[in-house]
mmCIF file of all heavy atoms in Angstrom:
data_model
loop_
_atom_site.group_PDB
_atom_site.id
_atom_site.type_symbol
_atom_site.label_atom_id
_atom_site.label_comp_id
_atom_site.label_asym_id
_atom_site.label_seq_id
_atom_site.Cartn_x
_atom_site.Cartn_y
_atom_site.Cartn_z
ATOM 1 N N SER H 1 -21.864 -4.969 -58.724
ATOM 2 C CA SER H 1 -22.814 -4.402 -57.771
ATOM 3 C C SER H 1 -24.248 -4.685 -58.172
ATOM 4 O O SER H 1 -24.599 -4.709 -59.356
ATOM 5 C CB SER H 1 -22.611 -2.885 -57.677
ATOM 6 O OG SER H 1 -23.610 -2.293 -56.858
ATOM 7 N N GLY H 2 -25.095 -4.890 -57.160
ATOM 8 C CA GLY H 2 -26.521 -4.829 -57.373
ATOM 9 C C GLY H 2 -26.942 -3.389 -57.582
ATOM 10 O O GLY H 2 -26.138 -2.458 -57.476
ATOM 11 N N THR H 3 -28.194 -3.182 -57.884
ATOM 12 C CA THR H 3 -28.710 -1.852 -58.205
ATOM 13 C C THR H 3 -29.930 -1.553 -57.332
ATOM 14 O O THR H 3 -30.444 -2.423 -56.622
ATOM 15 C CB THR H 3 -29.115 -1.772 -59.680
ATOM 16 O OG1 THR H 3 -30.204 -2.688 -59.900
ATOM 17 C CG2 THR H 3 -27.948 -2.135 -60.594
ATOM 18 N N PHE H 4 -30.398 -0.308 -57.423
ATOM 19 C CA PHE H 4 -31.643 0.023 -56.746
ATOM 20 C C PHE H 4 -32.780 -0.858 -57.256
ATOM 21 O O PHE H 4 -33.654 -1.274 -56.493
ATOM 22 C CB PHE H 4 -31.993 1.498 -56.952
ATOM 23 C CG PHE H 4 -31.112 2.451 -56.210
ATOM 24 C CD1 PHE H 4 -30.470 3.494 -56.868
ATOM 25 C CD2 PHE H 4 -30.921 2.322 -54.845
ATOM 26 C CE1 PHE H 4 -29.669 4.385 -56.183
ATOM 27 C CE2 PHE H 4 -30.107 3.202 -54.144
ATOM 28 C CZ PHE H 4 -29.478 4.238 -54.814
ATOM 29 N N GLU H 5 -32.749 -1.137 -58.543
ATOM 30 C CA GLU H 5 -33.811 -1.952 -59.125
ATOM 31 C C GLU H 5 -33.783 -3.366 -58.567
ATOM 32 O O GLU H 5 -34.822 -3.931 -58.196
ATOM 33 C CB GLU H 5 -33.678 -1.978 -60.649
ATOM 34 C CG GLU H 5 -34.786 -2.757 -61.340
ATOM 35 C CD GLU H 5 -34.674 -2.739 -62.852
ATOM 36 O OE1 GLU H 5 -33.665 -2.210 -63.371
ATOM 37 O OE2 GLU H 5 -35.597 -3.258 -63.521
ATOM 38 N N SER H 6 -32.588 -3.968 -58.478
ATOM 39 C CA SER H 6 -32.517 -5.326 -57.933
ATOM 40 C C SER H 6 -32.797 -5.316 -56.432
ATOM 41 O O SER H 6 -33.430 -6.242 -55.902
ATOM 42 C CB SER H 6 -31.147 -5.941 -58.217
ATOM 43 O OG SER H 6 -30.093 -5.216 -57.598
ATOM 44 N N ALA H 7 -32.354 -4.280 -55.752
ATOM 45 C CA ALA H 7 -32.610 -4.195 -54.306
ATOM 46 C C ALA H 7 -34.099 -4.089 -54.016
ATOM 47 O O ALA H 7 -34.583 -4.593 -52.989
ATOM 48 C CB ALA H 7 -31.871 -3.000 -53.710
ATOM 49 N N ALA H 8 -34.840 -3.469 -54.915
ATOM 50 C CA ALA H 8 -36.281 -3.315 -54.707
ATOM 51 C C ALA H 8 -36.990 -4.658 -54.695
ATOM 52 O O ALA H 8 -38.069 -4.785 -54.085
ATOM 53 C CB ALA H 8 -36.870 -2.408 -55.777
ATOM 54 N N THR H 9 -36.410 -5.657 -55.327
ATOM 55 C CA THR H 9 -37.054 -6.973 -55.332
ATOM 56 C C THR H 9 -37.058 -7.604 -53.939
ATOM 57 O O THR H 9 -37.833 -8.531 -53.680
ATOM 58 C CB THR H 9 -36.351 -7.924 -56.306
ATOM 59 O OG1 THR H 9 -34.993 -8.162 -55.863
ATOM 60 C CG2 THR H 9 -36.324 -7.334 -57.708
ATOM 61 N N ARG H 10 -36.219 -7.119 -53.059
ATOM 62 C CA ARG H 10 -36.125 -7.648 -51.693
ATOM 63 C C ARG H 10 -37.169 -7.009 -50.764
ATOM 64 O O ARG H 10 -37.480 -7.560 -49.702
ATOM 65 C CB ARG H 10 -34.709 -7.382 -51.174
ATOM 66 C CG ARG H 10 -34.435 -7.835 -49.768
ATOM 67 C CD ARG H 10 -34.209 -9.317 -49.659
ATOM 68 N NE ARG H 10 -34.008 -9.704 -48.266
ATOM 69 C CZ ARG H 10 -34.631 -10.702 -47.663
ATOM 70 N NH1 ARG H 10 -35.479 -11.452 -48.325
ATOM 71 N NH2 ARG H 10 -34.388 -10.986 -46.403
ATOM 72 N N LEU H 11 -37.733 -5.887 -51.163
ATOM 73 C CA LEU H 11 -38.621 -5.132 -50.283
ATOM 74 C C LEU H 11 -39.869 -5.905 -49.855
ATOM 75 O O LEU H 11 -40.241 -5.860 -48.665
ATOM 76 C CB LEU H 11 -39.004 -3.808 -50.944
ATOM 77 C CG LEU H 11 -37.854 -2.812 -51.125
ATOM 78 C CD1 LEU H 11 -38.304 -1.623 -51.972
ATOM 79 C CD2 LEU H 11 -37.349 -2.334 -49.762
ATOM 80 N N PRO H 12 -40.564 -6.605 -50.744
ATOM 81 C CA PRO H 12 -41.755 -7.343 -50.286
ATOM 82 C C PRO H 12 -41.440 -8.374 -49.206
ATOM 83 O O PRO H 12 -42.232 -8.560 -48.269
ATOM 84 C CB PRO H 12 -42.276 -7.997 -51.566
ATOM 85 C CG PRO H 12 -41.793 -7.116 -52.669
ATOM 86 C CD PRO H 12 -40.437 -6.662 -52.218
ATOM 87 N N ALA H 13 -40.291 -9.041 -49.303
ATOM 88 C CA ALA H 13 -39.929 -10.033 -48.292
ATOM 89 C C ALA H 13 -39.627 -9.366 -46.956
ATOM 90 O O ALA H 13 -39.967 -9.896 -45.885
ATOM 91 C CB ALA H 13 -38.726 -10.849 -48.765
ATOM 92 N N ILE H 14 -38.981 -8.210 -47.010
ATOM 93 C CA ILE H 14 -38.699 -7.467 -45.777
ATOM 94 C C ILE H 14 -40.005 -7.047 -45.117
ATOM 95 O O ILE H 14 -40.184 -7.180 -43.899
ATOM 96 C CB ILE H 14 -37.815 -6.252 -46.089
ATOM 97 C CG1 ILE H 14 -36.425 -6.711 -46.556
ATOM 98 C CG2 ILE H 14 -37.696 -5.333 -44.884
ATOM 99 C CD1 ILE H 14 -35.555 -5.597 -47.106
ATOM 100 N N ALA H 15 -40.942 -6.546 -45.915
ATOM 101 C CA ALA H 15 -42.243 -6.158 -45.376
ATOM 102 C C ALA H 15 -42.995 -7.369 -44.842
ATOM 103 O O ALA H 15 -43.655 -7.295 -43.795
ATOM 104 C CB ALA H 15 -43.062 -5.446 -46.447
ATOM 105 N N ALA H 16 -42.894 -8.512 -45.536
ATOM 106 C CA ALA H 16 -43.603 -9.716 -45.100
ATOM 107 C C ALA H 16 -43.087 -10.217 -43.761
ATOM 108 O O ALA H 16 -43.837 -10.832 -42.986
ATOM 109 C CB ALA H 16 -43.475 -10.811 -46.161
ATOM 110 N N MET H 17 -41.809 -9.967 -43.458
ATOM 111 C CA MET H 17 -41.280 -10.334 -42.143
ATOM 112 C C MET H 17 -41.793 -9.420 -41.041
ATOM 113 O O MET H 17 -41.618 -9.718 -39.865
ATOM 114 C CB MET H 17 -39.743 -10.314 -42.166
ATOM 115 C CG MET H 17 -39.115 -11.562 -42.740
ATOM 116 S SD MET H 17 -37.327 -11.653 -42.407
ATOM 117 C CE MET H 17 -36.716 -10.325 -43.440
ATOM 118 N N GLY H 18 -42.398 -8.294 -41.418
ATOM 119 C CA GLY H 18 -42.970 -7.411 -40.417
ATOM 120 C C GLY H 18 -42.189 -6.144 -40.163
ATOM 121 O O GLY H 18 -42.488 -5.414 -39.208
ATOM 122 N N PHE H 19 -41.213 -5.837 -41.004
ATOM 123 C CA PHE H 19 -40.437 -4.612 -40.828
ATOM 124 C C PHE H 19 -41.113 -3.461 -41.560
ATOM 125 O O PHE H 19 -41.733 -3.644 -42.612
ATOM 126 C CB PHE H 19 -39.006 -4.806 -41.325
ATOM 127 C CG PHE H 19 -38.237 -5.796 -40.500
ATOM 128 C CD1 PHE H 19 -38.100 -7.115 -40.920
ATOM 129 C CD2 PHE H 19 -37.675 -5.424 -39.288
ATOM 130 C CE1 PHE H 19 -37.416 -8.044 -40.151
ATOM 131 C CE2 PHE H 19 -36.988 -6.344 -38.509
ATOM 132 C CZ PHE H 19 -36.860 -7.652 -38.938
ATOM 133 N N ASP H 20 -40.989 -2.269 -40.997
ATOM 134 C CA ASP H 20 -41.626 -1.097 -41.608
ATOM 135 C C ASP H 20 -40.644 0.010 -41.961
ATOM 136 O O ASP H 20 -41.034 1.037 -42.502
ATOM 137 C CB ASP H 20 -42.746 -0.545 -40.728
ATOM 138 C CG ASP H 20 -42.350 -0.384 -39.271
ATOM 139 O OD1 ASP H 20 -41.207 0.040 -39.013
ATOM 140 O OD2 ASP H 20 -43.179 -0.683 -38.397
ATOM 141 N N VAL H 21 -39.361 -0.174 -41.647
ATOM 142 C CA VAL H 21 -38.318 0.763 -42.061
ATOM 143 C C VAL H 21 -37.183 -0.047 -42.677
ATOM 144 O O VAL H 21 -36.714 -1.015 -42.075
ATOM 145 C CB VAL H 21 -37.769 1.593 -40.886
ATOM 146 C CG1 VAL H 21 -36.624 2.503 -41.355
ATOM 147 C CG2 VAL H 21 -38.867 2.441 -40.244
ATOM 148 N N VAL H 22 -36.751 0.319 -43.879
ATOM 149 C CA VAL H 22 -35.580 -0.292 -44.481
ATOM 150 C C VAL H 22 -34.485 0.769 -44.523
ATOM 151 O O VAL H 22 -34.653 1.836 -45.102
ATOM 152 C CB VAL H 22 -35.867 -0.867 -45.882
ATOM 153 C CG1 VAL H 22 -36.399 0.184 -46.832
ATOM 154 C CG2 VAL H 22 -34.629 -1.553 -46.449
ATOM 155 N N TYR H 23 -33.396 0.478 -43.825
ATOM 156 C CA TYR H 23 -32.312 1.448 -43.681
ATOM 157 C C TYR H 23 -31.168 1.097 -44.631
ATOM 158 O O TYR H 23 -30.683 -0.036 -44.643
ATOM 159 C CB TYR H 23 -31.842 1.481 -42.223
ATOM 160 C CG TYR H 23 -30.405 1.907 -42.028
ATOM 161 C CD1 TYR H 23 -29.914 3.089 -42.603
ATOM 162 C CD2 TYR H 23 -29.525 1.138 -41.270
ATOM 163 C CE1 TYR H 23 -28.594 3.467 -42.445
ATOM 164 C CE2 TYR H 23 -28.211 1.502 -41.098
ATOM 165 C CZ TYR H 23 -27.746 2.656 -41.694
ATOM 166 O OH TYR H 23 -26.435 3.024 -41.537
ATOM 167 N N LEU H 24 -30.737 2.088 -45.407
ATOM 168 C CA LEU H 24 -29.642 1.918 -46.357
ATOM 169 C C LEU H 24 -28.393 2.627 -45.851
ATOM 170 O O LEU H 24 -28.433 3.826 -45.547
ATOM 171 C CB LEU H 24 -30.023 2.508 -47.718
ATOM 172 C CG LEU H 24 -31.343 2.066 -48.353
ATOM 173 C CD1 LEU H 24 -31.488 2.716 -49.726
ATOM 174 C CD2 LEU H 24 -31.431 0.553 -48.452
ATOM 175 N N PRO H 25 -27.257 1.951 -45.756
ATOM 176 C CA PRO H 25 -25.985 2.646 -45.545
ATOM 177 C C PRO H 25 -25.758 3.635 -46.688
ATOM 178 O O PRO H 25 -26.517 3.653 -47.669
ATOM 179 C CB PRO H 25 -24.963 1.511 -45.553
ATOM 180 C CG PRO H 25 -25.744 0.291 -45.196
ATOM 181 C CD PRO H 25 -27.102 0.501 -45.811
ATOM 182 N N PRO H 26 -24.731 4.468 -46.609
ATOM 183 C CA PRO H 26 -24.552 5.500 -47.635
ATOM 184 C C PRO H 26 -24.621 4.931 -49.051
ATOM 185 O O PRO H 26 -24.028 3.890 -49.354
ATOM 186 C CB PRO H 26 -23.167 6.067 -47.321
ATOM 187 C CG PRO H 26 -23.032 5.884 -45.840
ATOM 188 C CD PRO H 26 -23.708 4.577 -45.551
ATOM 189 N N ILE H 27 -25.347 5.630 -49.900
ATOM 190 C CA ILE H 27 -25.551 5.186 -51.284
ATOM 191 C C ILE H 27 -24.784 6.075 -52.255
ATOM 192 O O ILE H 27 -25.031 6.051 -53.456
ATOM 193 C CB ILE H 27 -27.054 5.207 -51.631
ATOM 194 C CG1 ILE H 27 -27.626 6.618 -51.424
ATOM 195 C CG2 ILE H 27 -27.809 4.185 -50.796
ATOM 196 C CD1 ILE H 27 -29.058 6.785 -51.906
ATOM 197 N N HIS H 28 -23.834 6.852 -51.754
ATOM 198 C CA HIS H 28 -23.129 7.848 -52.557
ATOM 199 C C HIS H 28 -21.912 7.233 -53.268
ATOM 200 O O HIS H 28 -21.499 6.107 -52.957
ATOM 201 C CB HIS H 28 -22.673 8.999 -51.649
ATOM 202 C CG HIS H 28 -23.722 9.434 -50.669
ATOM 203 N ND1 HIS H 28 -24.926 9.933 -51.074
ATOM 204 C CD2 HIS H 28 -23.738 9.425 -49.306
ATOM 205 C CE1 HIS H 28 -25.655 10.230 -49.996
ATOM 206 N NE2 HIS H 28 -24.951 9.925 -48.919
ATOM 207 N N PRO H 29 -21.318 7.965 -54.192
ATOM 208 C CA PRO H 29 -20.059 7.508 -54.796
ATOM 209 C C PRO H 29 -19.006 7.249 -53.725
ATOM 210 O O PRO H 29 -18.959 7.945 -52.692
ATOM 211 C CB PRO H 29 -19.659 8.679 -55.706
ATOM 212 C CG PRO H 29 -20.951 9.362 -56.037
ATOM 213 C CD PRO H 29 -21.790 9.241 -54.803
ATOM 214 N N ILE H 30 -18.167 6.242 -53.948
ATOM 215 C CA ILE H 30 -17.137 5.839 -52.990
ATOM 216 C C ILE H 30 -15.768 6.204 -53.551
ATOM 217 O O ILE H 30 -15.476 5.988 -54.737
ATOM 218 C CB ILE H 30 -17.219 4.323 -52.721
ATOM 219 C CG1 ILE H 30 -18.580 3.986 -52.089
ATOM 220 C CG2 ILE H 30 -16.078 3.854 -51.817
ATOM 221 C CD1 ILE H 30 -18.839 2.496 -51.967
ATOM 222 N N GLY H 31 -14.928 6.744 -52.692
ATOM 223 C CA GLY H 31 -13.607 7.184 -53.129
ATOM 224 C C GLY H 31 -12.690 6.034 -53.514
ATOM 225 O O GLY H 31 -12.894 4.877 -53.129
#
């Protein structure tokens, strides 16, 4: 799995495309 830390590296590119909300599916433990 990737992590919150690695996922954060994607945020500048998302913002550069012009998006202002990043939506995450559930981030909880999975059964």
